[in-house]
Amino acid sequence: MSKKLIYIHPAPVRVWHWIQAAGIVLLVLTGFQIRYAEMVGIMALKNAITLHNYVGFVVIANYFLWLIYYLGTGKIKIYFPDLRTFVPDAFRQAKYYGFGIFKGDPNPHVMTPDNKFNALQQKAYLGLMFLLLPAQMISGVFLWRVKGYADYVHYLGGIKIIDTIHVILFFFFAAFLIAHCYLATLGHTPLAHLKAMFTGYEEEH
Amino acid sequence: MLLQPYKGFFDGKGLGDTKKIFKERRNKMKKLKKRTRSMGIAFLFAFWLWPALGLAMDNGECLDCHNDEGLTREQGRGSLFVDAAQFHDSAHHGQGIMCIDCHADIAELNYDNDVPHAKNLAPVACSSCHEAEQDAFANSVHTQISSKGITMTCYACHDYHYATPLAAASVGQRDNNFCAKCHNPYQSHDWLPKKEEHFAFVECTVCHVPEVQRHIHLKFFDLVTNQFYKGEDILAILGLGSDQFMPMIDTDNDGTISRPEFEILELMLRQKNVHAIFHAELVAEMAPVAHQVMRGGAERNCEKCHTAESPYFEAVSIVLTKEDGGVDHHQVDRGVLKSYSLSHFYLYAGTRVKLLDMIGILLIGGAGCGVLGHLAIRIVTLRGRRQKKEKS
Ligand code: HEM
């Protein structure tokens, strides 16, 4: 079997990604502590709130690292599905995950540095990075200074409405985390993708 | 400590130079203290006599002279002006308290003299009527500081002539008018995050008086004009008398406005084009014990409030002021705190919406089940894949 290494995750992306991962895990944990103070005993409510705020800002800053890198290099286009082939591609990919993968069929998507995501990943990551994560960041900032942003908060319908957005997205991210980590084990070996996220190199088969 | 000038909070109104105000007050209080001793006996005597003589003088007589803005003392400073209109709106006037009920050492007005009564009158003893408040106050840090030579009277906090009924007052009105005269809470409370939110939604005494009963007040707030609706205005808009409000809203007559009943109230207001939100805040019950502010021992446990079953939210009531100056508290099911009817009030962990928790269970549970299912099939089909690989 010939093994060729391709450089798939440039350093800034790897750095961004692991900050992102650690950040989101912490935000989810402290989020549970804050929302369910009486049921969860990871840490005191006060510390959970403080930590949540700091990590929140790290994740926001990190978001801009991601944005600037991808916009600056023009690589952002890897996040945009090719609309002409999107539907059949997505269908093929879904069929693979739901069926072919069990039989040992090859992954219909072949990773290259210019096209590293399959159609499903593109759609998911695009929504995630341009809609859900920004919405989560903005609602988080509003909750951080309810009084300071009182005008906006009132305009949007009140703190409980903002909180509803933040909480639904929070559940979404928690669910995403589970699915994402699992999907990361679906490489040619269970740890292949994970290793690539550290080294930058993915093996090609 | 603390007594430094700072910008006013809550409503942006400056409080001026609090240090100066405090100094003036203190000097005045010291003087009053000296006077008390010399006047004590005369005062007691006069007080004993007042009921018989009081009837002879009504407020109008006093106000003939004292409603004049130009009236001053022969010696010394300070206006002797009493604003009749403002006095008229005061809680005391509302309860039929007269000038001489407080200035009880004025036995009679003798118009033969320049001044128809003694030039130096005894200090008013609020405690003659407010014994319970006096007792509670005597236990507080604000009385203990007399050992430092600071005497604080009741009217260090309350207006003596223009004290308005407090039961319906908002947190801002209460704290701004009282504690914030002397304390800048932003200079302490470093352990408390979100100070602005806490001081706007939690009355100081809620944390600082351990014995006090707490409850949630709901008031009608207009976001456009940035003002509270008066209770009587809401009643007028609904076309209800104050005694018709509960029978109309509480349709099942159980004495509590349930969540469906609350929603009907919202609907009624919307039909009348009232775009008010319900403003909720955590206040201390109006009782003498509220004066027992202690040094130390204040509430600092976040989980006391920020928890689903906080004891502080057991009682929730709509407060409505009435035409006659009285105040009604109408009990509301605490469930409204966890509903979108109160979308402008939310405490982390404290008032969370149940529906969202269900969505959360579905999302996270769904992801978990999907992953486990996929993983299970992967394991079951492992052999098949191995065989296929070996063949190729
Ligand atoms: C909720 C927080 C997370 C978000 C929003 C997130 C988002 C993403 C995104 C957008 C990519 C594509 C990266 C690129 O531009 O190249 C990615 C890739 C990856 N992530 Fe995460 N990630 C999160 C958490 C995690 C965690 C906790 C792990 C580790 C267990 C992980 C493992 C991976 C791996 C192995 C890849 C590369 C494989 C792939 O492209 O699917 N991620 N993630």
Side-chain angles (χ1 to χ4, degrees):
Chain A
M1 207 191 284
S2 71
K3 277 191 189 167
K4 210 174 97 197
L5 289 177
I6 50 169
Y7 191 51
I8 200 101
H9 303 305
V13 171
R14 281 177 279 147
V15 170
W16 163 80
H17 181 267
W18 290 115
I19 296 176
Q20 174 77 358
I24 300 290
V25 168
L26 281 174
L27 288 174
V28 167
L29 288 180
T30 50
F32 271 111
Q33 180 66 62
I34 293 170
R35 186 166 172 84
Y36 302 101
E38 75 275 14
M39 297 183 222
V40 182
I42 310 170
M43 61 186 96
L45 177 64
K46 189 185 169 204
N47 301 341
I49 288 172
T50 313
L51 191 59
H52 196 85
N53 289 347
Y54 282 122
V55 176
F57 281 107
V58 170
V59 167
I60 289 176
N62 197 39
Y63 178 78
F64 286 101
L65 175 72
W66 173 86
L67 192 67
I68 289 165
Y69 174 79
Y70 269 106
L71 289 180
T73 57
K75 288 189 182 176
I76 194 73
K77 60 180 183 294
I78 63 168
Y79 276 81
F80 289 87
D82 181 344
L83 286 180
R84 283 161 304 183
T85 59
F86 174 72
V87 175
D89 280 354
F91 185 74
R92 234 171 354 122
Q93 197 66 34
K95 206 173 118 200
Y96 167 71
Y97 281 133
F99 195 62
I101 191 169
F102 302 125
K103 291 196 306 182
D105 290 349
N107 190 332
H109 174 76
V110 180
M111 255 190 188
T112 66
D114 294 337
N115 183 17
K116 70 175 171 181
F117 300 144
N118 66 48
L120 289 181
Q121 279 174 321
Q122 278 172 331
K123 190 173 169 314
Y125 293 151
L126 187 70
L128 202 66
M129 298 307 288
F130 283 101
L131 190 68
L132 303 184
L133 198 54
Q136 188 71 341
M137 295 183 323
I138 293 168
S139 58
V141 168
F142 282 155
L143 289 176
W144 172 65
R145 279 277 178 273
V146 183
K147 274 269 145 192
Y149 297 111
D151 289 348
Y152 300 102
V153 173
H154 283 159
Y155 184 75
L156 291 167
I159 177 173
K160 211 174 259 160
I161 306 294
I162 310 269
D163 183 71
T164 299
I165 297 170
H166 202 71
V167 165
I168 290 181
L169 288 176
F170 153 71
F171 289 136
F172 173 84
F173 280 113
F176 169 83
L177 211 56
I178 297 172
H180 185 74
C181 293
Y182 177 71
L183 287 172
T185 68
L186 297 186
H188 70 278
T189 70
L191 290 181
H193 284 337
L194 197 63
K195 237 188 270 165
M197 235 331 150
F198 280 107
T199 61
Y201 289 94
E202 185 90 47
E203 288 172 15
E204 195 182 58
H205 293 264
Chain B
M1 54 151 285
L2 300 177
L3 307 168
Q4 272 161 32
Y6 67 100
K7 279 221 205 87
F9 59 119
F10 303 135
D11 54 11
K13 272 192 219 123
L15 289 166
D17 187 339
T18 39
K19 202 171 194 168
K20 203 174 115 216
I21 295 172
F22 185 66
K23 216 173 184 175
E24 272 171 19
R25 238 174 243 282
R26 195 164 58 178
N27 288 340
K28 196 167 150 200
M29 281 171 219
K30 271 190 187 152
K31 270 190 224 139
L32 289 172
K33 208 177 158 194
K34 270 190 219 136
R35 261 199 276 162
T36 325
R37 251 173 262 133
S38 55
M39 296 296 245
I41 299 163
F43 167 68
L44 278 176
F45 187 62
F47 189 72
W48 176 63
L49 277 176
W50 74 262
L53 297 162
L55 294 170
M57 291 172 281
D58 66 11
N59 294 348
E61 257 186 277
C62 315
L63 290 169
D64 275 346
C65 292
H66 285 287
N67 196 28
D68 172 4
E69 286 181 52
L71 190 68
T72 48
R73 288 191 177 83
E74 261 171 33
Q75 287 158 354
R77 293 166 298 122
S79 166
L80 294 172
F81 171 64
V82 178
D83 187 331
Q86 229 185 322
F87 179 76
H88 188 85
D89 291 340
S90 75
H92 286 117
H93 183 259
Q95 294 290 324
I97 307 284
M98 313 255 289
C99 309
I100 46 164
D101 290 339
C102 285
H103 298 288
D105 56 339
I106 301 184
E108 58 177 333
L109 292 178
N110 184 346
Y111 290 99
D112 296 338
N113 302 336
D114 282 357
V115 181
H117 51 71
K119 280 188 187 169
N120 287 321
L121 292 170
V124 173
C126 312
S127 57
S128 59
C129 300
H130 295 293
E131 211 178 327
E133 284 82 6
Q134 172 67 43
D135 290 348
F137 187 59
N139 282 329
S140 78
V141 60
H142 293 126
T143 303
Q144 285 154 16
I145 55 178
S146 62
S147 61
K148 293 186 182 172
I150 306 171
T151 306
M152 218 164 124
T153 57
C154 304
Y155 34 96
C157 290
H158 297 289
D159 241 330
Y160 42 85
H161 288 145
Y162 316 123
T164 47
L166 291 164
S170 64
V171 166
Q173 287 165 322
R174 293 180 186 200
D175 295 346
N176 243 353
N177 287 338
F178 301 136
C179 323
K181 282 184 194 170
C182 303
H183 298 289
N184 177 358
Y186 289 95
Q187 286 177 358
S188 41
H189 305 97
D190 288 335
W191 51 275
L192 183 68
K194 310 287 149 68
K195 293 195 211 8
E196 226 182 320
E197 283 79 5
H198 283 105
F199 298 147
F201 284 96
V202 185
E203 192 183 353
C204 312
T205 43
V206 162
C207 291
H208 278 286
V209 183
E211 291 81 12
V212 87
Q213 295 285 322
R214 290 94 170 161
H215 56 202
I216 295 279
H217 267 185
L218 300 183
K219 300 175 65 181
F220 302 87
F221 187 77
D222 190 330
L223 283 177
V224 181
T225 61
N226 243 324
Q227 268 171 346
F228 287 107
Y229 278 91
K230 286 202 193 109
E232 54 263 40
D233 294 346
I234 291 290
L235 290 172
I237 290 165
L238 292 173
L240 298 172
S242 58
D243 48 352
Q244 293 167 308
F245 181 78
M246 269 314 251
M248 181 74 184
I249 306 297
D250 179 27
T251 40
D252 61 5
N253 273 322
D254 64 350
T256 303
I257 300 175
S258 64
R259 275 178 66 175
E261 288 162 358
F262 197 84
E263 276 159 24
I264 291 172
L265 171 62
E266 283 183 287
L267 207 70
M268 286 167 71
L269 287 169
R270 221 166 290 148
Q271 278 168 351
K272 302 277 184 187
N273 259 324
V274 176
H275 293 283
I277 58 156
F278 283 96
H279 175 87
E281 47 189 25
L282 184 53
V283 296
E285 195 188 18
M286 204 47 65
V289 71
H291 292 95
Q292 253 179 59
V293 176
M294 310 303 268
R295 190 189 297 279
E299 187 60 69
R300 70 189 319 154
N301 181 3
C302 318
E303 281 87 347
K304 197 77 180 209
C305 297
H306 291 274
T307 176
E309 299 309 322
S310 169
Y312 293 179
F313 307 150
E314 238 144 54
V316 178
S317 42
I318 295 180
V319 273
L320 286 181
T321 47
K322 297 188 286 190
E323 284 287 346
D324 66 4
V327 177
D328 279 339
H329 284 70
H330 300 299
Q331 205 187 327
V332 178
D333 176 4
R334 73 180 281 179
V336 296
L337 295 180
K338 302 180 182 184
S339 76
Y340 287 104
S341 298
L342 260 74
S343 56
H344 292 261
F345 183 73
Y346 175 70
L347 270 87
Y348 290 150
T351 60
R352 53 176 192 260
V353 178
K354 285 263 153 56
L355 180 69
L356 291 184
D357 295 346
M358 306 301 285
I359 295 177
I361 291 171
L362 281 178
L363 273 172
I364 297 174
C369 291
V371 161
L372 286 180
H374 201 270
L375 183 66
I377 303 177
R378 243 167 108 199
I379 292 168
V380 170
T381 54
L382 193 61
R383 265 182 62 200
R385 283 203 300 281
R386 280 224 184 100
Q387 284 164 0
K388 193 177 165 189
K389 218 172 174 184
E390 277 158 20
K391 262 184 230 154
S392 65

